[in-house]
Structures are given as structure tokens and as C-alpha cells.
């Protein structure tokens, strides 16, 4: 996505207001410790883009891990390991998370932060384009939770694979499906947006999942999460 130009206003509210609300939520009910702040600082210092989930979104992922009683998680898109650390911390002692990252230098930054956060024994970072990693993951599943947050044009491809490798009662979450509201525009030419529209249209005829998309605003602007519960056939 292009960097947001300030002031971004949505319904007359600017991005700084969304960021302030995110900060307040973060400082009150979410809680973000040294290791998590450290992961963001280290990633920024290493030149990684600051596009990790916000602390409130990360806490939602943690609540979902706990609600699912998840023991096996697959993540597409590691970046600096922020969401990996959050989800790993919500896992039980014997829980495992595999996270896929295309860029070796990002994966290296993530591994160090994951180690520093004390969850290295639960998390495996695999380097390479996610589509190429999938054949090697046949034995690793079925997963309780799949979090899709990598290259957005491939979200439908990752989702299709996830559907075959998530247990009934498991959940597939995809970030960045609303894309500043372009999701609602059938004429939008952006390939990433077209991919999210196609995913929604495909799910309309898919009896295997019960799904919804929640639009979000926050310090990162206007976007949204798709949540899909995998049902018995
Ligand atoms: N989940 C992370 C943010 C991920 S940002 C968090 O919330 O902390 C998206 C990441 O996907 C980037 O690190 C990018 O390098 C990675 N990515 C892009 N294309 C990819 C691909 N084909 N396979 C795997 N990862 C990819
Ligand atoms: C981008 C990626 C993300 O996963 C996100 O949440 C925001 C932005 C990006 O590639 O620009
Ligand atoms: Mg994202």
C-alpha cells in the first residue's frame, strides 16, 4: 500500500484520532510489554516497514487463539515477528506456530525478536515465497488457526490451501481485505483489491465456512479482517 498522506480523514475524523484511540486502548486493556515494543523498535531500526498488526488487533488474535484452544497455527507473512510473538504467547506449552516469510533479512530480524520474547521453542520461521513452502507443510497440519497476512494478491490462494488444512471448528483470518474501502468498488483496478473481492465472492458459494469481514480503523488507517470458521462438510 502507498504510505498514508496526512491528514487522512474518514467521516471527518483524522488518522491522529484513530492513532490516539489505538494508543489509549493499548495503554489500558491491551497491555504491550518490553519484548513486543522491542520487536517493533528493532524492526524499524533494521528498516522493515511498520505494517505489523496494531496492538488492539494483535490482542484480538490472542483472544482467538485462546478461544479456539489452538495448538497449531500457520501464519503467512512474518515481517519482524510481532504477530508471531503475540499468537505464540497465547499458545499452550506444547503449541506450535509456523510462520512464512519471503525475505530472508526480515526472517532474521524476526527470529532474533522471537528469541528475545522467549517463544523461540514454539515458533518456526520458514523463508521463501509462501506458495513454495506449502507442499512442505502437508504433514504439519491440520491447523487450528491460519493467519493470512503476506502478499495480498495471493490471499485467495493461501485461503484455498488453508481451507484444506484447517480442522473443522478452526479459524482462518485474513488481514487487509478492505483496503481503504476499495473492497466495495467493483471497478477498482488494483490487483490486490480484486483478489479480496474474488475471495469474498468465492466464499459466498462455499458451504465449508461461515465467514464475516469486520472493517477496522486505527493508527494504520482504514482496513479490515476477514474471519472464516471452518465447518464440518
Ligand atoms: N504479520 C506481520 C505483518 C506481515 S507484513 C505482523 O503483523 O507482525 C507482510 C509480510 O509478508 C512482509 O514481511 C512481506 O515480506 C511478506 N511477504 C510478501 N510476499 C510474501 C510471499 N510471497 N511469501 C511470504 N511472505 C511474503
Ligand atoms: C501492508 C501489509 C500489511 O499486512 C498491512 O497490514 C498493511 C500494509 C503493505 O504491504 O503495505
Ligand atoms: Mg496486515
Amino acid at each position: 500500500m502507498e504510505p498514508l498522506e496526512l491528514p487522512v480523514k474518514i467521516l471527518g475524523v483524522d488518522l491522529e484520532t484513530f492513532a490516539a484511540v489505538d494508543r489509549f486502548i493499548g495503554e489500558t486493556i491491551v497491555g504491550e510489554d518490553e519484548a513486543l515494543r522491542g520487536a517493533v523498535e528493532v524492526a524499524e531500526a533494521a528498516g522493515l516497514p511498520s505494517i505489523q498488526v496494531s496492538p488492539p488487533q494483535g490482542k484480538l488474535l490472542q483472544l482467538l487463539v485462546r478461544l479456539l484452544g489452538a495448538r497449531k497455527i500457520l501464519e503467512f507473512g512474518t515481517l519482524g515477528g510481532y504477530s508471531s510473538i503475540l499468537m505464540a504467547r497465547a499458545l499452550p506449552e506444547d503449541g506450535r506456530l509456523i510462520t512464512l516469510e519471503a525475505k530472508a533479512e526480515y526472517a532474521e530480524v524476526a527470529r532474533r525478536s522471537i528469541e528475545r520474547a522467549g517463544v523461540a521453542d514454539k515458533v518456526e520461521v520458514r523463508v521463501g515465497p509462501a506458495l513454495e513452502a506449502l507442499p512442505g507443510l502437508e504433514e504439519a497440519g491440520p491447523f487450528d488457526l491460519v493467519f493470512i497476512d503476506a502478499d495480498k494478491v495471493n490471499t485467495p490462494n493461501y485461503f484455498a490451501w488453508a481451507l484444506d488444512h484447517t480442522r473443522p471448528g478452526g479459524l482462518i483470518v485474513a488481514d487487509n481485505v478492505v483496503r481503504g474501502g476499495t473492497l466495495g468498488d467493483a471497478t477498482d483496478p488494483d490487483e490486490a483489491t480484486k483478489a479480496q473481492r474474488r475471495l469474498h465472492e468465492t466464499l459466498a458459494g462455499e458451504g465449508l465456512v461461515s465467514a464475516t469481514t469486520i472493517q477496522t480503523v486505527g493508527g494504520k488507517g482504514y482496513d479490515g479482517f476477514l474471519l472464516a470458521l471452518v465447518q464440518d462438510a
Side-chain angles (χ1 to χ4, degrees):
M1 248 188 278
E2 296 298 315
L4 291 162
E5 285 186 26
L6 297 174
V8 173
K9 288 208 173 199
I10 299 170
L11 295 172
V13 183
D14 64 19
L15 188 63
E16 184 42 48
T17 303
F18 298 141
V21 172
D22 260 0
R23 275 197 301 278
F24 177 73
I25 296 167
E27 286 160 8
T28 52
I29 58 178
V30 166
E32 194 192 38
D33 68 14
E34 257 333 292
L36 282 167
R37 267 192 294 275
V40 172
E41 279 164 22
V42 166
E44 281 177 3
L48 275 60
S50 196
I51 52 176
Q52 66 280 347
V53 292
S54 69
Q57 290 169 338
K59 182 69 172 281
L60 173 63
L61 291 174
Q62 290 191 307
L63 297 181
L64 293 172
V65 171
R66 289 170 57 191
L67 281 165
L68 289 161
R71 289 181 55 243
K72 286 187 189 182
I73 301 175
L74 176 63
E75 175 178 65
F76 291 81
T78 315
L79 191 69
Y82 186 81
S83 54
S84 313
I85 293 168
L86 278 165
M87 290 189 285
R89 284 187 166 173
L91 280 170
E93 210 45 59
D94 62 349
R96 293 291 176 268
L97 181 147
I98 297 173
T99 181
L100 309 176
E101 173 54 50
K103 296 196 173 175
E105 64 273 28
Y106 290 11
E108 220 21 72
V109 172
R111 285 192 185 109
R112 284 201 295 276
S113 289
I114 287 163
E115 177 83 47
R116 216 172 299 112
V119 289
D121 51 340
K122 291 182 185 173
V123 180
E124 184 189 340
V125 185
R126 296 199 185 179
V127 181
L131 282 177
E132 291 175 22
L134 294 179
L137 287 170
E138 286 298 330
E139 306 300 315
F143 297 96
D144 305 294
L145 173 65
V146 178
F147 178 47
I148 301 175
D149 193 22
D151 50 328
K152 311 309 170 188
V153 286
N154 273 315
T155 297
N157 297 327
Y158 301 150
F159 193 98
W161 191 92
L163 197 48
D164 288 338
H165 296 83
T166 301
R167 69 159 164 91
L171 189 71
I172 304 169
V173 178
D175 192 21
N176 310 114
V177 301
V178 173
R179 316 197 59 72
T182 56
L183 181 68
D185 181 359
T187 68
D188 194 279
D190 178 60
E191 289 302 326
T193 294
K194 288 202 261 182
Q196 310 321 313
R197 288 184 58 88
R198 197 166 67 246
L199 173 60
H200 282 72
E201 286 157 3
T202 306
L203 289 188
E206 174 55 79
L208 265 181
V209 301
S210 182
T212 189
T213 289
I214 297 298
Q215 305 186 63
T216 58
V217 293
K220 290 175 70 182
Y222 171 32
D223 217 313
F225 271 137
L226 182 148
L227 302 154
L229 180 72
V230 179
Q231 312 176 126
D232 285 306

